[in-house]
Amino acid sequence: MKIELKTVEENQVASISHVGPVEEMGELIGELTGWIIQKGLQITQPPFVVYYTSPMEVFPEKMEYEVGIPFKGEAKEDEHVNIKIMPKHKTISTLFKGPYQEIGPIYAEIMQHIMEGKYEMIGAPREAYLNNPQEVPENELLTEVIFPVIDLEDCENPTENVNIAENPEITIENSYTISPIGYTKRNGMDAILEINGKYIPGLKELANFSHVMVLWLADKIENRNILQMYPPYSMNTLTGVFATRAEYRPNPIAVTTCKILNVNEEKGIITVANLDAIDGTPIIDLKPYMPSFDRVKEPKIPKRLSFLWPEWVH
């Protein structure tokens, strides 16, 4: 199996969001294809599906996914079909030949490749369907399995990276002292927050929340004078750092909302999912996720950012 690092160019996409069994995907692709043809638009690439949940984690009827077809032309979205932008970004992908139901091990191999290499996932995986199951036998089906990633080698030398825009020199003045309350430790796809002994009493009652907001310090970042960049998840859009979640910023403070998997108050150890920090990262604060304070009913984001991540953190 050949696993490749690719750069995906920006595309305009018609899409339908859906909750239900993946077996309903074919009907949605047909509906979306008909919509595009009816509008007189030109299909430019094969259909794909972005999977926001995993069949290993939810019941079939709870699967959340989005069917998309890239196209050219001008069209307005309606109540059922959305018009979105798939931004320019890098991916790790491979081509699978065979029945759809046998594709599961391919995901594990790509994940292993990402974990062993210098990559970091930046969004939900997707599958592109290169031929039609109504036209070829199951053993001839071609599916490209695609994971959006950051190439961490780009991040190691940001001043040499074409994704960084030139900016005037800025002198950073250190006015405050922040003491870490603990440090991170990777545990496969999850992470462990090891809280320093004197701060352990502060964990009382945290286990009664489902999610925690982890504030962490990107202390390995030396380039704190960058104010504009081309983000790895939208490589053709010059963006100010205050409109990104990038670590390259005057004060490299990051925040991630994580699902709490376990809290050991006695030992000061919290196991979480979804944390995008490396081993040994200083933790500067923890805040419980409170829907009344931290959720927005109808948020607005650029269309180019609407495909890579799910609408909600699970």
Side-chain angles (χ1 to χ4, degrees):
M1 182 178 71
K2 185 179 181 181
I3 298 178
E4 297 181 292
L5 175 66
K6 296 181 178 180
T7 298
V8 175
E9 297 298 328
E10 182 177 282
N11 287 292
Q12 184 176 220
V13 177
S15 72
I16 297 175
S17 298
H18 187 68
V19 177
V22 294
E23 289 77 13
E24 297 172 353
M25 173 185 63
E27 182 179 339
L28 294 170
I29 291 176
E31 180 182 347
L32 196 54
T33 300
W35 185 90
I36 292 174
I37 294 174
Q38 184 184 27
K39 298 290 184 181
L41 306 171
Q42 178 186 354
I43 295 175
T44 58
Q45 293 181 29
F48 64 85
V49 174
V50 182
Y51 290 99
Y52 297 127
T53 53
S54 167
M56 304 295 292
E57 299 175 349
V58 300
F59 292 112
E61 64 272 15
K62 297 292 186 180
M63 280 293 293
E64 296 181 22
Y65 57 93
E66 190 162 7
V67 177
I69 300 180
F71 72 92
K72 283 185 179 180
E74 294 185 7
K76 292 183 178 180
E77 58 187 31
D78 55 34
E79 294 180 355
H80 192 49
V81 177
N82 298 311
I83 304 297
K84 295 186 175 183
I85 301 296
M86 178 67 78
K88 183 178 180 180
H89 63 285
K90 290 187 176 182
T91 65
I92 292 289
S93 67
T94 192
L95 190 63
F96 172 75
K97 184 178 182 180
Y100 295 143
Q101 61 268 26
E102 296 179 7
I103 206 168
I106 301 300
Y107 278 75
E109 291 192 44
I110 296 180
M111 286 297 303
Q112 188 69 23
H113 182 85
I114 291 172
M115 292 173 64
E116 291 178 351
K118 290 191 173 184
Y119 306 107
E120 181 180 304
M121 287 178 57
I122 58 168
R126 60 185 185 269
E127 296 176 5
Y129 305 104
L130 308 189
N131 52 13
N132 191 330
Q134 297 179 353
E135 299 175 354
V136 299
E138 275 196 331
N139 62 345
E140 295 292 327
L141 289 171
L142 296 175
T143 306
E144 187 177 11
V145 182
I146 305 164
F147 280 66
V149 297
I150 295 174
D151 186 346
L152 295 179
E153 288 188 352
D154 292 342
C155 301
E156 290 178 355
N157 299 296
T159 56
E160 300 174 9
N161 188 339
V162 295
N163 289 348
I164 304 295
E166 293 183 2
N167 293 284
E169 289 292 326
I170 298 173
T171 301
I172 302 298
E173 297 180 1
N174 293 317
S175 302
Y176 299 95
T177 299
I178 295 178
S179 300
I181 64 169
Y183 295 86
T184 64
K185 183 178 181 180
R186 299 305 306 181
N187 182 29
M189 294 302 295
D190 300 327
I192 293 173
L193 312 181
E194 298 180 334
I195 305 304
N196 296 339
K198 63 181 179 180
Y199 297 114
I200 289 178
L203 299 180
K204 185 173 177 58
E205 295 297 323
L206 181 62
N208 292 323
F209 292 85
S210 65
H211 291 76
V212 61
M213 298 170 68
V214 182
L215 281 78
W216 49 277
L217 191 67
D219 61 328
K220 304 297 190 294
I221 300 300
E222 297 180 357
N223 300 82
R224 296 172 60 180
N225 62 337
I226 295 171
L227 292 182
Q228 293 184 339
M229 65 186 305
Y230 291 90
Y233 50 79
S234 186
M235 295 168 61
N236 58 335
T237 306
L238 183 62
T239 308
V241 294
F242 303 136
T244 76
R245 304 297 288 264
E247 289 89 351
Y248 303 106
R249 53 202 323 116
N251 295 305
I253 298 172
V255 58
T256 309
T257 300
C258 300
K259 183 177 182 179
I260 298 175
L261 302 178
N262 185 62
V263 177
N264 186 326
E265 277 191 40
E266 183 178 348
K267 295 184 178 180
I269 294 177
I270 310 163
T271 306
V272 299
N274 307 323
L275 184 65
D276 51 343
I278 63 174
D279 262 350
T281 296
I283 306 163
I284 58 177
D285 199 10
L286 301 173
K287 299 180 186 296
Y289 177 82
M290 304 277 287
S292 298
F293 305 143
D294 304 318
R295 181 178 61 186
V296 178
K297 187 175 182 180
E298 296 181 356
K300 179 183 177 182
I301 64 172
K303 284 190 174 184
R304 59 188 166 80
L305 303 183
S306 57
F307 257 128
L308 296 182
W309 298 283
E311 185 176 356
W312 299 102
V313 173
H314 293 276

